[in-house]
Amino acid sequence: MTKIKNKNYQRENRTDGNHTRALLIKHAGIMFAEHGYQAISSKDICWAASVTPASVNYHFGSKEGLYHEVLMEAERVISSSASFEQLTSPSISAKDALAGFLYNRFYDTIVHSGAWQYQLLIREAFMPSGVAEAFEENVIRPRFIIIKEVVARHLGMVPEDPKVQEALIACLTISSPWSVKPELLKKNMPAIYSCSVEDQAKRLTEFCMAGIATYIKHDAKS
């Protein structure tokens, strides 16, 4: 057994049948998020989930197949409140659609502060596993295109403009500390936690929208 398993992972009580698949996704998600795809073996995951060593191959075909399902589960959780439908609604202005999307994303990230789903997708985005090309192409890339187009419309620029892409990256990564290291925020910036989640999400949204507005004003003066 590898040393990974000795790091504060609690084994589940033995569970069989329909729960096995869910247990594997849950424990794989936690372990992949903390250590990365390459550092975790199928055997590690099966040990943590208290299932037979062949369970990963039986249910998912391979560790790579399990990783894809874990990524899909993470994306389902994160996208459930992200209001992607609002982003594409013709009845809502680009500014309002973007503000609504950002508020929902910030709110959900803070509520689920430290959740493995957020940690995993950030890890995959900035430290790619090398085995998630299909997930990136079929799930992540289309979402980025939608958001980028909304930002571009709000800025009055083309999606390929550097300002559009800088604004997008800034908006999507500003909530990363809540996702990756919430304990550091609590220790070093306790005042953040003296207000409600709603207020935090509102202020983060206003901060992003104000930054984008600065781009618009600067461009108008040029």
Side-chain angles (χ1 to χ4, degrees), residues 166-184:
E166 290 164 359
L168 175 60
I169 291 298
C171 289
L172 294 183
T173 59
I174 196 171
S175 60
S176 296
W178 282 268
S179 301
V180 180
K181 292 293 183 181
E183 64 274 10
L184 290 181

Side-chain angles (χ1 to χ4, degrees), residues 97-115:
L98 180 60
F101 169 80
L102 290 174
Y103 176 86
N104 286 328
R105 182 178 178 93
F106 293 142
Y107 180 89
D108 200 48
T109 301
I110 296 167
V111 166
H112 299 289
S113 183

